[in-house]
Amino acid sequence: DTGVSQDPRHKITKRGQNVTFRCDPISEHNRLYWYRQTLGQGPEFLTYFQNEAQLEKSRLLSDRFSAERPKGSFSTLEIQRTEQGDSAMYLCASSLGEGDREQYFGPGTRLTVT
Amino acid sequence: DAKTTQPPSMDCAEGRAANLPCNHSTISGNEYVYWYRQIHSQGPQYIIHGLKNNETNEMASLIITEDRKSSTLILPHATLRDTAVYYCIVRPYNAGNMLTFGGGTRLMVKP
């Protein structure tokens, strides 16, 4: 069990640029989640996948955000035309399917938009 | 999901028990109480969960009141490495979807 990994760990970008983050879940975990966390706040849910199907999206996930999990393994989260308000920690988590009791979180990708 | 209320911060002496309270007065009958913690610069980590009975694992104990309106997470012998933000979350088991984090309690374990 190598845990959930995220890449990159840090990203600095200029306003208006596009960025893409990658998450590799624990193998055989069929559920994958994305959260966003701003300074001093708890994580906020963005979206989740069951295998390759995106089952739920938060209203926080504006049209500039898109997430994919093409083969039911790794996932990508893309933010287009970044804004300063997008600066946050983006966390990925994975879990087994039905009957799971816990979500395993990765270390996060810290995005800074200048 | 039901809302939870936690004190924003607490201190604990190293080696002593840390008792972290959580109020969840609007919890539904099918909702479990989960605890996660987040050490600085890391992702959240699952600690324990329960429905109505007290639970214990290698990390902590969870005490849920009989009316299920509140609970206490107990770290029996706190160490400096237990310094973290602790989140109390209520959600249906097998919900399979999002966790709703509140502000949590920032626990500072002091030598």
Side-chain angles (χ1 to χ4, degrees), chain B residues 16-88:
Chain B
R16 304 297 296 268
N19 297 281
L20 293 96
C22 179
N23 182 288
H24 32 79
S25 58
T26 61
I27 191 170
S28 300
N30 67 339
E31 289 183 317
Y32 283 64
V33 180
Y34 288 76
W35 284 82
Y36 281 73
R37 74 178 182 183
Q38 188 172 24
I39 296 170
H40 183 61
S41 297
Q42 297 183 22
Q45 175 191 25
Y46 166 85
I47 301 173
I48 198 168
H49 77 282
L51 181 63
K52 56 182 179 181
N53 297 321
N54 299 337
E55 302 288 344
T56 296
N57 64 19
E58 64 280 2
M59 291 183 66
S61 294
L62 174 60
I63 308 298
I64 303 173
T65 58
E66 190 170 348
D67 63 7
R68 303 206 327 119
K69 293 184 177 182
S70 65
S71 61
T72 301
L73 179 75
I74 301 173
L75 307 179
H77 306 287
T79 70
L80 298 179
R81 285 181 289 184
D82 291 321
T83 293
V85 178
Y86 288 77
Y87 296 100
C88 170

Side-chain angles (χ1 to χ4, degrees), chain A:
Chain A
D1 178 4
T2 58
V4 178
S5 61
Q6 294 187 245
D7 183 70
R9 294 292 307 277
H10 304 274
K11 178 71 176 179
I12 300 174
T13 191
K14 292 184 177 180
R15 187 173 52 192
Q17 297 295 305
N18 299 344
V19 294
T20 300
F21 310 140
R22 176 179 170 124
C23 170
D24 286 89
I26 294 172
S27 58
E28 86 260 7
H29 278 193
N30 55 17
R31 291 190 174 173
L32 187 147
Y33 312 80
W34 285 99
Y35 293 82
R36 181 175 70 184
Q37 185 173 26
T38 54
L39 201 61
Q41 305 297 315
E44 297 174 292
F45 169 79
L46 292 178
T47 188
Y48 96 98
F49 293 83
Q50 168 96 5
N51 299 313
E52 67 275 10
Q54 188 172 17
L55 296 186
E56 190 168 347
K57 292 193 291 186
S58 163
R59 58 180 172 77
L60 294 174
L61 212 65
S62 76
D63 291 345
R64 296 184 298 104
F65 288 70
S66 63
E68 294 182 342
R69 194 182 183 200
K71 297 182 179 180
S73 56
F74 73 92
S75 175
T76 58
L77 178 68
E78 180 183 17
I79 308 175
Q80 296 182 327
R81 305 181 303 281
T82 52
E83 302 173 355
Q84 287 188 321
D86 296 331
S87 295
M89 176 76 82
Y90 290 84
L91 293 159
C92 176
S94 70
S95 71
L96 290 169
E98 294 292 330
D100 64 282
R101 66 173 187 175
E102 57 192 284
Q103 295 180 14
Y104 295 82
F105 283 80
T109 294
R110 180 165 296 283
L111 172 66
T112 302
V113 182
T114 62

